Amino acid sequence: MPSNDVRIVLQAAVPTAAVGAIAAVVSGVVAGGKGAVGAIVATLVVILFMGIGMVVLQRTAKSLPHLFQAMGLLLYATQILLLFVFLAVFKNTTLFHPKAFAFTLLAATLVWIAAQTRAHMKSKILYVEPDSSTGSKPEKTGPST
């Protein structure tokens, strides 16, 4: 993965982990140990799902740029489906507090999206590749006068 992509993933994962740690402490105080476990699980789910999604999307953009937008939509739909599967499997669990899990999942997802958006806006990634030949003049493509 190129260094820009790693930097963007880190700039999104670190604030998400920080919010998850704060949520774990708050959930631990409010709902006890199961609340803290729920917050930690939710934070890990968000970082795992969003991180893997970002890696897949960047590899697709590099190898198949014409499928980038469609792959992005498919990726987000897949992430939501996997989250529904995860929630269905752990619907009646006693391993963690479900409300702490839900609130942390929502907060961590919003923080990830905001941090990823900020990282993309701050990064200076070329979206037009410069011409590799230095001696050639660009061709005129407009109407001649």
Side-chain angles (χ1 to χ4, degrees):
M1 192 176 347
S3 63
N4 285 335
D5 300 336
V6 172
R7 191 175 310 122
I8 290 171
V9 169
L10 284 176
Q11 288 177 351
V14 170
T16 303
V19 165
I22 293 168
V25 170
V26 170
S27 297
V29 169
V30 172
K34 289 188 180 198
V37 171
I40 291 169
V41 169
T43 304
L44 292 176
V45 165
V46 169
I47 291 174
L48 184 69
F49 281 18
M50 296 294 210
I52 289 173
M54 179 105 173
V55 169
V56 168
L57 201 57
Q58 293 304 324
R59 287 187 184 208
T60 301
K62 185 177 179 183
S63 62
L64 303 167
H66 59 284
L67 293 178
F68 181 71
Q69 188 174 16
M71 187 64 170
L73 292 171
L74 178 67
L75 176 73
Y76 291 129
T78 304
Q79 286 176 333
I80 290 171
L81 180 66
L82 286 174
L83 183 60
F84 283 144
V85 168
F86 184 85
L87 291 174
V89 168
F90 289 100
K91 183 168 102 173
N92 296 321
T93 187
T94 58
L95 296 174
F96 53 81
H97 193 267
K99 286 188 180 180
F101 174 81
F103 285 125
T104 305
L105 188 76
L106 179 64
T109 301
L110 292 175
V111 167
W112 179 284
I113 291 169
Q116 183 180 358
T117 302
R118 182 182 183 276
H120 275 294
M121 289 174 61
K122 292 278 187 182
S123 67
K124 293 178 171 55
I125 300 172
L126 292 175
Y127 55 89
V128 176
E129 302 227 2
D131 190 16
S132 62
S133 60
T134 58
S136 65
K137 290 186 178 181
E139 294 181 22
K140 241 184 183 179
T141 57
S144 59
T145 54

